Structures are given as structure tokens and as C-alpha cells.
Amino acid sequence: MQFVANFKPQFTKTKKDHALTDRFDINNKHDSVDNYMTSELVKFKPDQSVFEVIDKITKQKISGGPVVNDDGDLVGLISEKDCLKVLVEIVYHNEPERIGRVKDYMTKEVVTVDANKDVVEVANLFLMTNFRRFPVVDEAGHLVGQVSRKDILKAVNKFKATTW
């Protein structure tokens, strides 16, 4: 599932807002997401033990990652929040050996962004959702990276300052 936004914010600016937004020319096309995304990802498999994922997430200090099949196709995402379900199930059922695989906990309906999408458009997507990251796909729909809110914030430094 790919999320497409036709959203253009219509905010009423206060004097305080002008200090930041007037520094940038937001009408020009800006860099694309592929200039800011992370392309070397920690990936998980659907049949992998969810305990392995929790171990890797905590050791690598990441908040989740894409789940890919044997062909490398994106089939889901697994996050810290998804893994918290394991803790609740262990306590509730008191059966740690019953805990399943990544496919049992991952998010299957994945919102992706195109690698050529403008960083301002992606910033708007972040504002419209609670997502902290989006998988990035190429024109053929193959996973090529991931972009986070923090990655998009890095683009602010490259915006052209204006004097109007």
C-alpha cells in the first residue's frame, strides 16, 4: 500500500511563525528523499523469532525495521511497539514458549514513499500520520531504504534562505 498525499497545509502564521518559515522558499522543488534516506537497513524475515528481533532492536539501538521475504520484497514492518505485544502476552498467558514469529506481530499494511518524493511532501506525510519512519521504494516498488523524521529534518539545513 502506498500513501499518496495531495495535502498542502493552509496554516495561519503568527509573528512567531514568520521567524522560521520566512527563511525558506517553500515554493521551489527541494531535494528528494533518496538524498536523506538510510539505505543500509537491518532487515527481518517473517519466520524469524520475535525474540531475535527484540534482541537485535535493543542491541543495535534501532526502533524497528522492514520485514522482507526471501526475494527481498517488503512484506511488513516490525517496531518496538509491535514487540511490546510480546511482553503483554508473556505476562497474560504465562507461556513464553508460545510466542510466535515476526509475521505474527508485524504491521502488514505498510505505507511507503517513493525515492523521488520531495522532502517537503514527506514532511507533510509525517505531520498527517503518527509514523516515525517510512520505507522508501523505487519506481518498481522495491525497497531501497528508509526515511525517518530525523532524516527529513536534516534537509532544513539545505533550504535556500530568502530575503523577502
Side-chain angles (χ1 to χ4, degrees), residues 83-102:
C83 292
L84 286 174
K85 296 172 190 171
V86 173
L87 173 66
V88 173
E89 286 187 17
I90 288 173
V91 171
Y92 183 76
H93 296 290
N94 196 23
E95 298 175 337
E97 67 282 351
R98 182 175 171 264
I99 301 304
R101 304 281 169 202
V102 169

Side-chain angles (χ1 to χ4, degrees), residues 37-44 56 60 62 64-68 74 77 133-136 143-148 151:
M37 71 181 187
T38 301
S39 56
E40 294 192 25
L41 303 174
V42 175
K43 299 174 189 169
F44 302 104
K56 190 165 264 194
Q60 301 250 339
I62 58 175
V67 181
V68 297
L74 181 68
L77 289 177
R133 73 193 76 72
F134 289 113
V136 179
L143 180 69
V144 294
Q146 176 174 279
V147 67
S148 69
D151 295 330

Side-chain angles (χ1 to χ4, degrees), residues 12-24:
T12 303
K13 291 184 186 178
T14 65
K15 287 183 180 182
K16 183 179 177 183
D17 295 331
H18 282 286
L20 177 63
T21 58
D22 284 352
R23 290 179 49 209
F24 306 111

Side-chain angles (χ1 to χ4, degrees), residues 50 63 100 147:
V50 75
S63 60
V147 67

Side-chain angles (χ1 to χ4, degrees), residues 42-155:
V42 175
K43 299 174 189 169
F44 302 104
K45 297 285 187 177
D47 289 322
Q48 191 172 0
S49 162
V50 75
F51 287 119
E52 290 176 34
V53 172
I54 293 170
D55 187 53
K56 190 165 264 194
I57 283 174
T58 55
K59 285 182 179 172
Q60 301 250 339
K61 298 180 182 178
I62 58 175
S63 60
V67 181
V68 297
N69 62 19
D70 290 335
D71 295 326
D73 299 324
L74 181 68
V75 295
L77 289 177
I78 186 121
S79 68
E80 293 167 315
K81 185 175 180 179
D82 296 324
C83 292
L84 286 174
K85 296 172 190 171
V86 173
L87 173 66
V88 173
E89 286 187 17
I90 288 173
V91 171
Y92 183 76
H93 296 290
N94 196 23
E95 298 175 337
E97 67 282 351
R98 182 175 171 264
I99 301 304
R101 304 281 169 202
V102 169
K103 65 184 173 189
D104 301 321
Y105 296 93
M106 70 182 190
T107 300
K108 295 176 179 101
E109 298 272 330
V110 180
V111 177
T112 63
V113 296
D114 186 272
N116 296 317
K117 187 159 289 284
D118 185 293
V119 293
V120 176
E121 292 178 66
V122 176
N124 279 327
L125 293 178
F126 279 121
L127 290 173
M128 294 177 356
T129 66
N130 290 325
F131 300 135
R132 294 176 184 219
R133 73 193 76 72
F134 289 113
V136 179
V137 294
D138 62 15
E139 292 174 4
H142 298 112
L143 180 69
V144 294
Q146 176 174 279
V147 67
S148 69
R149 293 175 182 173
K150 195 173 292 186
D151 295 330
I152 296 300
L153 283 175
K154 292 174 186 173

